[in-house]
């Protein structure tokens, strides 16, 4: 079945076509659904991510969630056309920053187990969502990357707030300041990845883990997850507020504007 043939689950139609939700076995599967852009995050995807977690939280049928990307990528990062609009529209930018805060808080406070099945690149917000998951499956050819700084933005929606807690400050600064790709093998070596499997088995393994989590006693798994995430939320929230405010300012800098313009010019030539 192709992604275009997937019928989104009843109750989740408001998030389609950006996010498609179906139930496979005991797990609810979310597909980021812009495969023609490698699932780059535009305003619709961003807004859907801000709203879907509360619906999943309140759905008593949801016991575990697996998220992946349609096609060849988890998410290639922010959509450059969207970035151009945010440079010119401060109100839209303010909404985007508010939604970024909501996404981070909703995921970190989401009580049900969340598995990311990373197929291909997971960049920017995609990287943040993967790292906020409880379990992370990566294909051998996949990678994580937070290129905020490299394109001229403060790493506001996850990298600066989360990465030091996950890998320590020195490695976090390498990954976030340089924005280099974190291959699946590196992610496994530094403790970011739960499993690394062949690229054709990523979703299969993610769903298998989702099934295992869904079969656990729900009160025990949810309360234990909440307890462990308290370490993250208490350490990260103050950093998040500063970083998002600084990211809003970054959109007005000449460096960011120049990088977006150069990227779009290259895309138009290709």
């Amino acid at each position: 079945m192709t992604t275009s043939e997937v019928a989104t689950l009843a109750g989740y139609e408001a998030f389609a076509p950006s996010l498609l939700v179906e139930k496979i076995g005991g797990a609810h599967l979310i597909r980021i659904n812009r495969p023609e852009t490698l699932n780059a995050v535009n305003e619709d995807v961003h807004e859907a991510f801000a709203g879907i977690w509360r619906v999943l939280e309140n759905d008593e049928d949801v016991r575990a969630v697996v998220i992946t990307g349609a096609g060849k990528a988890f998410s290639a990062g922010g959509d450059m056309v969207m970035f151009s609009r945010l440079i010119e529209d401060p109100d839209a930018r303010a909404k985007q920053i508010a939604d970024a805060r909501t996404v981070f808080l909703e995921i970190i406070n989401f009580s049900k187990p969340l598995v990311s099945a990373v197929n291909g690149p997971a960049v920017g917000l995609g990287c943040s969502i993967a790292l906020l998951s409880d379990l992370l499956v990566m294909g051998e050819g996949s990678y994580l990357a937070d290129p905020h700084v490299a394109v001229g933005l403060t790493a506001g929606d996850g990298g600066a707030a989360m990465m030091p807690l996950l890998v320590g400050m020195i490695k976090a600064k390498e990954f976030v300041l340089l924005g280099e790709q974190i291959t699946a093998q590196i992610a496994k070596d530094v403790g970011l990845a739960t499993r690394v499997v062949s690229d054709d088995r990523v979703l299969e393994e993610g769903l298998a883990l989702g099934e295992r989590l869904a079969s656990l006693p729900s009160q025990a798994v949810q309360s234990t997850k909440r307890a462990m995430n308290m370490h993250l939320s208490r350490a990260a929230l103050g950093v998040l507020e500063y970083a998002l405010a600084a990211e809003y300012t970054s959109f007005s800098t000449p460096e960011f504007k120049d990088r977006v313009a150069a990227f779009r010019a290259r895309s138009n030539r290709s």
Side-chain angles (χ1 to χ4, degrees):
M1 180 179 292
T2 66
T3 305
S4 61
E5 295 170 331
V6 172
T8 201
L9 198 65
Y12 295 89
E13 297 90 348
F15 306 106
S18 299
L19 301 178
L20 300 181
V21 183
E22 57 183 316
K23 188 175 182 183
I24 300 179
H28 281 65
L29 175 65
I30 301 174
R31 296 181 195 264
I32 310 169
N33 188 41
R34 296 189 74 216
E36 71 284 356
T37 67
L38 298 180
N39 299 317
V41 176
N42 64 2
E43 292 96 333
D44 291 340
V45 175
H46 211 275
E47 187 171 355
F49 268 128
I52 198 168
W53 305 103
R54 194 65 56 89
V55 179
L56 291 163
E57 183 73 41
N58 293 331
D59 186 343
E60 294 183 359
D61 192 44
V62 176
R63 295 180 63 91
V65 176
V66 178
I67 184 168
T68 195
K72 299 179 180 180
F74 189 80
S75 174
D79 185 279
M80 287 292 168
V81 176
M82 175 190 72
F83 283 157
S84 295
R85 288 192 288 264
L86 297 180
I87 288 170
E88 300 299 329
D89 188 340
D91 291 336
R93 189 193 319 167
K95 182 182 185 305
Q96 191 85 342
I97 294 295
D99 282 348
R101 181 181 187 276
T102 297
V103 172
F104 186 97
L105 295 179
E106 289 289 323
I107 297 178
I108 208 168
N109 291 321
F110 184 58
S111 70
K112 300 173 184 182
L114 175 63
V115 179
S116 278
V118 173
N119 55 316
V123 180
L125 182 60
C127 178
S128 296
I129 289 171
L131 294 180
L132 285 168
S133 301
D134 304 305
L135 301 179
L136 174 55
V137 179
M138 296 184 68
E140 291 172 335
S142 69
Y143 64 88
L144 309 169
D146 186 341
H148 277 79
V149 173
V151 300
L153 290 174
T154 304
D157 62 358
M162 287 294 296
M163 194 71 81
L165 304 174
L166 299 175
V167 298
M169 189 62 74
I170 296 298
K171 292 303 292 184
K173 287 180 178 178
E174 176 187 349
F175 293 151
V176 177
L177 293 179
L178 297 179
E180 295 177 344
Q181 295 181 6
I182 306 170
T183 65
Q185 186 59 52
I186 292 172
K188 183 177 180 181
D189 291 344
V190 300
L192 291 176
T194 308
R195 301 271 195 282
V196 175
V197 299
S198 61
D199 291 330
D200 61 348
R201 290 190 54 240
V202 174
L203 183 55
E204 175 188 347
E205 185 69 17
L207 287 170
L209 288 171
E211 191 74 39
R212 288 180 61 185
L213 290 164
S215 71
L216 294 170
S218 59
Q219 188 276 338
V221 71
Q222 291 179 28
S223 60
T224 301
K225 172 182 171 172
R226 284 188 184 277
M228 288 192 288
N229 272 10
M230 286 179 184
H231 294 286
L232 301 177
S233 60
R234 290 175 177 174
L237 293 188
V239 178
L240 181 72
E241 299 300 337
Y242 167 79
L244 287 173
E247 184 174 3
Y248 178 90
T249 301
S250 297
F251 277 88
S252 298
T253 63
E255 293 89 349
F256 178 64
K257 293 178 181 179
D258 289 346
R259 282 164 172 77
V260 170
F263 183 92
R264 295 194 65 188
R266 288 195 300 272
S267 297
N268 290 335
R269 289 195 299 268
S270 61

